[in-house]
Amino acid sequence: SGTLWGFRRFDGDDQLSEPRGLCYDTLDGVIYVADSGNGRVQRFRLGERRGLTVAGGPGGILKSPVAVALAQDGALFVSDSATDQVLRFQPIFD
C-alpha cells in the first residue's frame, strides 16, 4: 500500500485539487477521479502516477464535478454541483 496520488491544491497531471468521487473501470483497469477543484475528470491507469484529463479542464464545461459513473457502453457520466447538471461524455477507447 501507499500513496498513489497526492491530493493537493495543484493542477498538474499527477496532482488533484479537492477530489470528490471516483469510479473504477474493471475492464480497462483505470480509475476516474472527479477533480472538483480543477473542474475536470482525471483518468489514471493503475500503477501510473500521471493522469489524463478526459472531461473538463481549462475552459471546459465542468465547474465542480463531484461524482463519476461509467456506463456499460463506456460513456462517462459526471455530476457537476456548481451547474446542477449530470453530463454524459462519449466513451474513451485506447
Side-chain angles (χ1 to χ4, degrees), residues 14-16 23-24 30 33 42 44 51 72 75 79 83 86 91-92:
D14 64 340
Q15 300 166 326
L16 300 170
C23 70
Y24 176 63
V30 297
V33 180
Q42 290 289 94
F44 292 92
Q72 192 170 6
S79 174
T83 61
V86 175
I92 302 164

Side-chain angles (χ1 to χ4, degrees), residues 2-94:
T3 301
L4 295 177
W5 302 283
F7 299 150
R8 291 180 256 154
R9 186 149 194 87
F10 294 106
D11 61 0
D13 57 3
D14 64 340
Q15 300 166 326
L16 300 170
S17 176
E18 300 178 41
R20 298 291 182 203
L22 61 88
C23 70
Y24 176 63
D25 181 354
T26 57
L27 186 62
D28 292 329
V30 297
I31 294 176
Y32 294 91
V33 180
D35 186 7
S36 187
N38 288 313
R40 66 185 182 182
V41 174
Q42 290 289 94
R43 181 180 70 177
F44 292 92
R45 293 195 181 282
L46 292 181
E48 294 183 7
R49 293 191 52 83
R50 298 196 180 280
L52 174 68
T53 301
V54 295
I61 61 172
L62 292 176
K63 302 299 180 206
S64 185
V66 294
V68 291
L70 198 60
Q72 192 170 6
D73 70 353
L76 188 67
F77 289 88
V78 182
S79 174
D80 190 326
S81 67
T83 61
D84 297 321
Q85 297 181 66
V86 175
L87 302 166
R88 181 186 186 276
F89 294 90
Q90 294 295 322
I92 302 164
F93 301 106
D94 64 356

